[in-house]
Amino acid sequence: MAAHTHADEDAAARRDLAVRAAVEQGLVGGADSAEPLTCLLDTAGIRSSAAALTSAFADALAPGTPVLHAFAVKAAPLVPVLRLLADAGLGCEVASPGELALARAAGVPAGRTVLDSPAKTVAELREALALGIAVNADNPQELERLDALVGAGPARSPIGVRINPQTGAGTIDALSTATSTSKFGIALRDPGAREWLVRAYLDRPWLTRLHVHSGSQGVPLALIAEGVRELHALAEEINGAAGRRQVDTLDIGGGLPVNFASDEHTPRFDAYVAALREAAPGLFSGAYGLVTEFGRALLAKHGLVLARVEYTKTSGSRPIALTHAGVQLATRTAYAPAAWPVRILAYDAKGVPRAGEPVAQDVAGPACFAGDLLATARELPRLAPGDLIGVPDTGAYFFTAHYGYNSLPRPAIHGFTVGPEGRVRFALARPAQSIEAIVAEAGAAHAEALL
């Protein structure tokens, strides 16, 4: 790939330019540097993904169909990211008071915010209804709470119910939300559930939405589309029983998988839309407004962990590179490496891609437990102290959601842009956590409390 390809055309080239610039500008450095670790976000790439999502649906939907693409805040709970996505036309899907506060801090309007969670408190529901935030109820008991909160008058918020279509699992059990025993939503195929749901809508004219989230990493497009097809069929059944268009909006969730094996962006949003059109063509007729809730698919490919190799050693004849990136940033990889493998890119101390004969070596993190490994027996140019490793595709659910093992500090996160002449500009999205902040968070102000 050409080193000076335009920022919108060549993400891999942008990444390598950013790595070298990060070294030159002191964001990360060698053994004498105080910065052994930093994390980067490609802002042009994020905008490109947002545009791909919005255009894929716009091209397929009937003209005038209302659509809200709500970013799943859990994937990257960073106010500057939410602000960037809002500027690109997206709203927010939140699942906690903290995530709602982040969305509001980013300036996302209530009318472009959706609240999902399997365990909402009365206080959370009351706040959402007061603000006019869309709510998806998870279960019959939550509906009873909403009965009391909504009362006899019209609800200010759009309200729906989440269903579990029970269409099956993908390759990662812990992320499969549409299994027969999933904790999410009302199990559609359980005895009597479908009839109960239809009656629940007929008894509550203020229920105007239906929600499903059948996708996630490891779930094929056809299986995701099957869950959406079940949602559309249920909406048609409810509206037929009501004799009117009571359900007017379908929230089809997110969960588009990401390719972690290479730089290729696949599957793409247009392929997802094509799968939906085949499975549920009525979804695109204009009869229903749509809401989506993508997270990983929008951010993952645009994040990079950049960490210094502090030491190298050999154990059992295997070379090991000890770095500053590990379980605190790639928690799922450390605990479930088969399900969450990551790529490793080797750079020299100047940020230049390292050449050389590949050697099988472990890439380890700084935490004090044996499983803190980013890669095992990975074929890479032989790493040396002062080199850098890059871990791409980490823009969602990796360094954005820090795990405080060993009280390791949260790293700085910088967004970057690449100008037409290859000049890289960085913008601080989140500062590195100070040691003083770690101590304060650990209760230093209450040191005598337990004596």
Side-chain angles (χ1 to χ4, degrees), residues 66-246:
V67 182
L68 170 62
H69 296 294
F71 174 70
V73 173
K74 66 183 76 65
L78 298 165
V79 171
V81 167
L82 306 185
R83 182 69 171 166
L84 172 64
L85 290 170
D87 189 64
L90 275 60
C92 283
E93 182 267 339
V94 301
S96 71
E99 289 183 358
L100 175 56
L102 296 180
R104 297 186 73 185
V108 178
R112 300 186 62 78
T113 305
V114 180
L115 173 63
D116 296 320
S117 165
K120 307 179 198 71
T121 66
V122 172
E124 289 174 59
L125 292 170
R126 184 179 291 114
E127 179 184 26
L129 296 179
L131 292 171
I133 290 169
V135 175
N136 288 315
D138 179 81
N139 55 71
Q141 293 171 0
E142 187 175 343
L143 266 185
E144 291 175 3
R145 287 183 172 180
L146 287 167
D147 285 336
L149 291 169
V150 172
R156 182 181 174 190
S157 298
I159 302 175
V161 175
R162 178 171 183 168
I163 66 162
N164 170 15
Q166 296 176 295
T167 44
T171 59
I172 305 175
D173 287 343
L175 293 191
S176 297
T177 60
T179 62
S180 61
T181 57
S182 171
K183 76 176 191 178
F184 294 105
I186 293 174
L188 191 58
R189 298 180 184 180
D190 279 11
R194 195 178 193 97
E195 295 78 8
W196 182 89
L197 270 166
V198 173
R199 174 47 55 188
Y201 273 76
L202 297 182
D203 291 343
R204 298 170 176 84
W206 41 266
L207 283 177
T208 59
R209 292 187 171 190
L210 271 172
H211 176 220
V212 73
H213 186 105
S214 57
S216 198
Q217 191 68 20
V219 180
L221 292 186
L223 195 58
I224 300 174
E226 185 180 343
V228 177
R229 181 182 65 205
E230 292 291 329
L231 185 80
H232 178 264
L234 179 60
E236 294 283 279
E237 183 176 344
I238 291 170
N239 287 347
R244 63 187 181 88
R245 187 169 169 265
Q246 178 174 339

Side-chain angles (χ1 to χ4, degrees), residues 345-366:
L345 308 175
Y347 297 91
D348 67 18
K350 294 182 178 180
V352 176
R354 179 167 278 292
E357 192 70 23
V359 175
Q361 53 200 302
D362 291 356
V363 179

Side-chain angles (χ1 to χ4, degrees), residues 20-39:
R20 184 181 296 191
V23 174
E24 292 172 349
Q25 297 182 37
L27 273 58
V28 67
D32 293 332
S33 169
E35 303 296 339
L37 172 68
T38 196
C39 301

